[in-house]
Amino acid sequence: MAIITNLLVSAELGNVIAKLLDLLYQNIGNFGWTVVVFTILLKLILSPLDVWQRLSSRKQQKKMEALRPKLEKIEKQYKNNPDMLRQKQYEAQKEAHINIFSSCLPLIVTMVIFFVVFGGFRALVTYENELIVEDLDKQYVSYILDYNYENKILIDSSLSQEEKDFIAANRDNWDEMKNFCDSHYPGENMGFIEYDELKATDPEAFLELESILENEYDKQLEKTSWLWIKNVFKPDTGTSIIPDKKTFDSSGTGGIGGNSDNLNIHTSYTNLVQPALNKYSKSGTWDFKNWNGYFILPLLSLVTSFLYTALTQKLSPAQQSMGTKEQVEQQQKTMKMMNYIMPIMLAIFAVMYSAAFAIYYFMSNILSTLLTIVVTLITKQIDKKEEKNKGFNIRG
């Protein structure tokens, strides 16, 4: 039950993240820069918790350093009895008010934030791509209604005034216009002209419609492009710029997570995006011009993650583990392995999913590194002050 509750809470938090991102997006107008601003705001909001955790770890480490002689004595006394050794070490740390799980807190907080933010990004990417399709459909509906009105009703002198008044009042109503045209102009290619009929009977008008849909998608890409990336809703890789139906409907790796069959649109998803697909489709694997990105963000994310990890290890003393020498060495190896696995795993996410997430991950690494440097400089000044006061008290 607890697991289900946690998942529901995470989903709700993810929804809150998506709403915050959408609010910023409406005001900024470009999704890539929205992610940059969001990351900065999130880091500012969480920085007090981050600073508290770092200062808490520093206090724990000082207590551990003071306790180390006693721990070494315990290790010599019980080196042949690992179970008793761990128990005595635990009792000594508890007596010194040392929280042995404090070193796990950063990893736990990082993972929780990651999954919540990732869920928020996934939800908003789906939502925004559905809006793009709906905007394309609006252009399609407007053109088809105007075409039927101008090429049928407007030139039909046999219509009564009542019929003219009715259709004028419902000119923007798809269902009414369709029913009227189908009933008044029966026969193949004679009723309400839609996508397929227009393509078959009026190639010139069909090309005009495709141009309108292509231009509409270009307008959308102006809001979803960021620096070298054409569409931040797709990965910063050699993938295509425009999601086809399979990609749009897929909730798996690299998918948008939408459901085109459930959208309230008046033609198929493929018909609406085909003009943009034709314009931006790759002619081959190495058609760099039509790559969505160039693997830059995943690489930068990986490099900055390793730099942040290395810097943290250098500036923060290692936590003292419990157990025999061999057990401590094994624990340290496991932690070292995790320091490699986590950056690689997140970099893989940056390759597989939207570039928006990769922007967040990269910016988060940069900001975390800067915060680590600032906090370290502050704590060093505190240490110097404490050492100075300690020396003064001794002389006094």
Side-chain angles (χ1 to χ4, degrees):
M1 186 66 184
I3 296 176
I4 296 175
T5 303
N6 289 336
L7 288 173
L8 291 173
V9 170
S10 297
E12 183 60 32
L13 287 172
N15 190 42
V16 171
I17 294 294
K19 289 180 180 179
L20 175 58
L21 279 165
D22 185 53
L23 178 63
L24 291 172
Y25 182 34
Q26 299 307 318
N27 288 277
I28 296 174
N30 178 277
F31 199 79
W33 292 114
T34 295
V35 176
V36 173
V37 173
F38 165 79
T39 309
I40 294 172
L41 289 176
L42 183 65
K43 183 58 67 174
L44 288 174
I45 293 171
L46 295 176
S47 58
L49 176 63
D50 197 358
V51 172
W52 169 83
Q53 188 278 321
R54 292 171 190 270
L55 294 177
S56 177
S57 294
R58 172 178 170 271
K59 291 179 180 179
Q60 293 285 322
Q61 188 61 33
K62 284 183 172 294
K63 291 179 181 178
M64 183 65 78
E65 290 174 358
L67 187 63
R68 187 163 289 129
K70 184 176 180 179
L71 292 175
E72 291 175 352
K73 183 178 179 181
I74 292 173
E75 184 175 353
K76 291 179 181 179
Q77 185 176 357
Y78 297 98
K79 63 180 180 180
N80 295 322
N81 190 342
D83 293 335
M84 184 60 69
L85 171 61
R86 292 178 67 87
Q87 181 179 338
K88 291 296 183 181
Q89 286 178 326
Y90 173 77
E91 291 174 355
Q93 291 188 17
K94 186 177 181 181
E95 185 179 345
H97 303 289
I98 296 174
N99 183 2
I100 62 174
F101 299 108
S102 62
S103 60
C104 300
L105 183 60
L107 180 61
I108 294 172
V109 172
T110 299
M111 292 304 295
V112 170
I113 293 173
F114 166 77
F115 283 111
V116 169
V117 172
F118 182 74
F121 273 107
R122 289 283 287 169
L124 191 61
V125 166
T126 301
Y127 173 71
E128 292 298 337
N129 275 271
E130 288 175 346
L131 287 184
I132 289 174
V133 177
E134 290 176 359
D135 287 340
L136 290 170
D137 186 65
K138 289 177 183 177
Q139 295 295 323
Y140 169 76
V141 167
S142 177
Y143 186 86
I144 292 297
L145 290 178
D146 286 344
Y147 182 86
N148 280 275
Y149 181 79
E150 294 170 3
N151 289 274
K152 291 184 180 297
I153 298 168
L154 193 63
I155 62 174
D156 188 352
S157 58
S158 66
L159 294 177
S160 66
Q161 187 61 45
E162 183 180 358
E163 289 173 325
K164 291 180 180 179
D165 292 341
F166 172 81
I167 203 62
N170 293 277
R171 183 174 175 176
D172 296 329
N173 188 312
W174 179 276
D175 292 332
E176 292 292 352
M177 185 73 109
K178 185 178 188 309
N179 290 335
F180 186 89
C181 289
D182 286 343
S183 61
H184 281 71
Y185 312 103
E188 185 177 358
N189 295 332
M190 292 297 294
F192 188 70
I193 301 297
E194 296 186 60
Y195 188 91
D196 291 332
E197 292 81 12
L198 185 67
K199 184 177 182 180
T201 60
D202 196 339
E204 186 176 339
F206 182 75
L207 288 175
E208 184 180 15
L209 171 62
E210 284 199 315
S211 178
I212 291 172
L213 294 176
E214 178 188 307
N215 291 335
E216 178 61 27
Y217 216 118
D218 283 338
K219 291 179 183 178
Q220 299 294 334
L221 289 178
E222 290 177 5
K223 297 185 292 184
T224 61
S225 62
W226 187 76
L227 300 180
W228 64 88
I229 302 168
K230 278 62 165 204
N231 184 357
V232 294
F233 295 136
K234 297 289 295 297
D236 179 14
T237 63
T239 186
S240 58
I241 299 168
I242 310 298
D244 57 17
K245 186 181 189 313
K246 182 179 179 181
T247 303
F248 183 88
D249 290 340
S250 173
S251 58
T253 302
I256 298 299
N259 189 334
S260 58
D261 294 330
N262 287 341
L263 291 177
N264 185 26
I265 54 180
H266 297 79
T267 188
S268 69
Y269 172 85
T270 300
N271 288 345
L272 293 174
V273 303
Q274 193 61 53
L277 283 171
N278 293 338
K279 180 177 182 179
Y280 295 106
S281 290
K282 296 185 294 181
S283 59
T285 303
W286 306 110
D287 182 10
F288 298 114
K289 184 183 71 173
N290 288 313
W291 278 18
N292 188 57
Y294 305 101
F295 296 90
I296 296 174
L297 276 175
L299 180 60
L300 288 176
S301 298
L302 183 64
V303 171
T304 53
S305 186
F306 276 127
L307 288 176
Y308 169 64
T309 300
L311 182 67
T312 302
Q313 289 178 331
K314 182 178 180 180
L315 298 179
S316 302
Q319 291 286 339
Q320 177 69 38
S321 301
M322 294 195 304
T324 64
K325 182 179 180 180
E326 291 76 13
Q327 290 172 331
V328 170
E329 289 177 353
Q330 184 59 43
Q331 292 170 16
Q332 291 174 346
K333 286 180 181 179
T334 302
M335 184 57 65
K336 187 176 181 180
M337 186 182 298
M338 287 298 298
N339 289 335
Y340 284 100
I341 291 176
M342 285 297 295
I344 293 173
M345 183 190 77
L346 294 176
I348 291 173
F349 271 92
V351 170
M352 291 182 171
Y353 294 97
S354 71
F357 173 75
I359 295 171
Y360 162 77
Y361 181 36
F362 168 67
M363 285 297 301
S364 182
N365 288 338
I366 294 295
L367 295 172
S368 295
T369 301
L370 293 175
L371 182 62
T372 297
I373 294 173
V374 171
V375 172
T376 301
L377 291 174
I378 293 174
T379 54
K380 282 186 176 180
Q381 291 299 318
I382 295 174
D383 288 340
K384 287 181 180 179
K385 187 175 180 180
E386 289 179 352
E387 288 294 327
K388 184 177 180 181
N389 291 336
K390 183 178 179 181
F392 177 78
N393 291 334
I394 292 174
R395 288 194 299 272

